[in-house]
């Protein structure tokens, strides 16, 4: 399994489509903060709208855009400014999803709103994404594929044939994966995990750590795998990812451990050894520092 696929798998994402919005003119749809492990997303099927955040940031959304809020921030979906004020919104059902509408004509935006539930509540991938993860089709390497997926999603939402909701939710996870793959450091506006994956030298070392987390992964060993000096590797790793090498290795081990605690009934001592800790006590201390609770409590909470 490739690195990105493995990291998405470790996040334990379950997809839910919540509502479709077909809106005209001026409107304002409020979204409250999401709970822990709940990650809202929006897919623009056609038209355009804006997303406004509590800190007054505004994100312009157009047809084909995918936007996700990894920390579940409160936000508003708003339409164009109008002196007449927002139109009343009614709620109907189109056979697949509840639908918000406020007009009779062609909508200014056709938007699918949903959320991912993370089985672990926290993972290296989710924790290192920006608060607003926005992928536009414009200029993306995978533009044609992304357009095709959005087109299928739009068709399923329109025709509502048997199994439409199952197909639509699966495509939303595929869109997230394509969006993550398409992004780079410049698109995200900040260093991060995706930039490491995109770098062939670093990705070689990442794959080795994921495959064998119990190994003694020193900076020297990882630098050697990347054909770099120790000092250069440590510096460029921090510049590219925003993380130290040691911090990355620990976070990855905790992500792997979280997955094992949830999906298996192996003992904590067993899992500690699996992810590179000589003692259960040392593992428990590191796990609590990252997750806020001891491993056994985490397993109980997530079961």
């Amino acid at each position: 399994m490739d690195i990105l696929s493995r990291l998405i798998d470790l996040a334990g994402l379950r997809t839910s489509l919540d509502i479709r919005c077909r809106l005209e003119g001026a409107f304002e749809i409020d979204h409250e903060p999401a709970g822990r492990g709940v990650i809202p997303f929006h897919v623009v099927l056609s038209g355009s709208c804006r997303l406004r955040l509590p800190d007054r940031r505004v994100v312009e959304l157009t047809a084909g855009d995918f936007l996700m809020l990894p920390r579940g921030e409160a936000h508003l979906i708003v339409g164009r400014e109008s002196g007449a004020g927002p139109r009343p919104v009614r709620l109907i059902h189109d056979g697949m999803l509840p639908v918000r509408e406020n007009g009779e004509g062609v909508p200014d935006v056709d938007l699918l709103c949903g959320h991912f539930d993370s089985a672990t509540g926290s993972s290296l991938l989710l924790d290192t994404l920006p608060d607003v993860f926005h992928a536009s089709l414009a200029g993306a390497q995978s533009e044609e594929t992304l357009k095709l997926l959005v087109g299928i999603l739009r068709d399923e939402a329109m025709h509502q044939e048997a199994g439409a909701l199952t197909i639509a939710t699966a495509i939303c996870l595929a869109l997230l994966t394509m969006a993550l793959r398409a992004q780079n450091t410049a698109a995200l506006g900040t260093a991060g995990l995706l930039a490491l994956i995109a770098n062939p030298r670093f990705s070689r070392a990442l794959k080795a750590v994921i495959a064998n987390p119990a190994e003694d992964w020193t900076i020297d060993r990882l630098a050697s795998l990347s054909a770099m000096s120790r000092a250069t590797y440590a510096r460029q790793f921090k510049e590219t990812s925003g993380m130290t090498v040691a911090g990355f290795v620990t976070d990855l081990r905790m992500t792997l451990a979280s997955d094992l605690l949830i999906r298996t009934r192996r003992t904590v001592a067993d899992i500690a050894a699996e992810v590179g800790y000589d003692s259960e006590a040392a593992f428990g201390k590191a796990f609590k520092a990252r997750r806020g609770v001891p491993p056994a409590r985490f397993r109980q909470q997530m079961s």
Side-chain angles (χ1 to χ4, degrees):
M1 187 181 293
D2 65 86
I3 297 172
L4 183 57
S5 294
R6 180 62 174 138
L7 290 171
I8 292 171
D9 178 59
L10 288 169
L13 297 177
R14 296 184 300 273
T15 313
S16 295
L17 279 171
D18 300 324
I19 198 163
R20 184 179 180 188
C21 297
R22 292 172 50 84
L23 301 167
E24 300 177 36
F27 57 84
E28 190 173 278
I29 306 297
D30 191 12
H31 293 260
E32 296 293 324
R36 177 177 170 79
V38 178
I39 305 160
F41 69 84
H42 303 283
V43 181
V44 186
L45 299 180
S46 64
S48 63
C49 62
R50 294 175 178 177
L51 181 139
R52 187 179 297 152
L53 294 154
D55 61 6
R56 298 190 178 182
R57 277 182 294 168
V58 174
V59 182
E60 301 285 345
L61 297 174
T62 60
D65 281 9
F66 178 93
L67 185 140
M68 182 175 74
L69 298 150
R71 254 62 76 195
E73 280 192 289
H75 57 285
L76 292 173
I77 300 292
V78 298
R80 64 170 181 257
E81 300 296 331
S82 171
R87 302 181 185 185
V89 176
R90 61 184 178 274
L91 189 66
I92 63 173
H93 204 288
D94 68 359
M96 186 177 89
L97 288 170
V99 181
R100 290 190 184 104
E101 290 187 342
N102 68 347
E104 302 295 337
V106 177
D108 292 321
V109 67
D110 190 350
L111 185 74
L112 280 179
C113 305
H115 68 276
F116 298 111
D117 288 297
S118 172
T120 61
S122 178
S123 73
L124 182 61
L125 176 63
L126 297 176
D127 293 346
T128 54
L129 288 176
D131 289 342
V132 179
F133 179 80
H134 177 208
S136 172
L137 302 188
Q141 290 182 339
S142 305
E143 181 174 352
E144 291 307 315
T145 304
L146 284 165
K147 280 184 177 178
L148 176 63
L149 286 173
V150 172
I152 295 171
L153 187 58
R154 183 171 56 246
D155 288 345
E156 292 298 329
M158 287 176 61
H159 299 135
Q160 298 126 34
E161 296 183 11
L165 186 58
T166 299
I167 292 171
T169 53
I171 289 175
C172 286
L173 183 58
L175 278 173
L176 168 63
T177 306
M178 295 292 293
L180 290 167
R181 188 170 74 181
Q183 294 304 298
N184 54 35
T185 305
L188 288 172
T190 182
L193 180 62
L194 297 180
L196 284 180
I197 296 172
N199 185 306
R201 283 188 165 186
F202 288 126
S203 65
R204 196 177 306 125
L206 301 191
K207 187 177 289 187
V209 179
I210 290 173
N212 298 288
E215 292 286 325
D216 182 18
W217 291 114
T218 63
I219 295 178
D220 289 313
R221 285 193 66 189
L222 293 171
S224 177
L225 281 175
S226 301
M228 300 166 73
S229 72
R230 183 184 192 280
T232 300
Y233 183 85
R235 184 184 72 254
Q236 291 190 8
F237 190 100
K238 180 69 179 293
E239 290 172 353
T240 303
S241 69
M243 298 177 279
T244 65
V245 176
F248 163 79
V249 172
T250 298
D251 284 341
L252 179 57
R253 284 171 168 165
M254 294 306 106
T255 294
L256 291 164
S258 297
D259 181 67
L260 290 170
L261 286 164
I262 292 170
R263 296 195 194 187
T264 76
R265 301 315 301 169
R266 293 170 62 178
T267 66
V268 172
D270 224 16
I271 292 171
E274 176 76 13
V275 299
Y277 285 83
D278 293 332
S279 75
E280 185 177 340
F283 167 67
K285 182 178 180 181
F287 190 91
K288 186 175 181 180
R290 288 302 197 276
R291 296 290 185 263
V293 293
R297 179 72 61 81
F298 176 85
R299 170 178 272 167
Q300 185 180 38
Q301 290 178 349
M302 295 297 174
S303 62

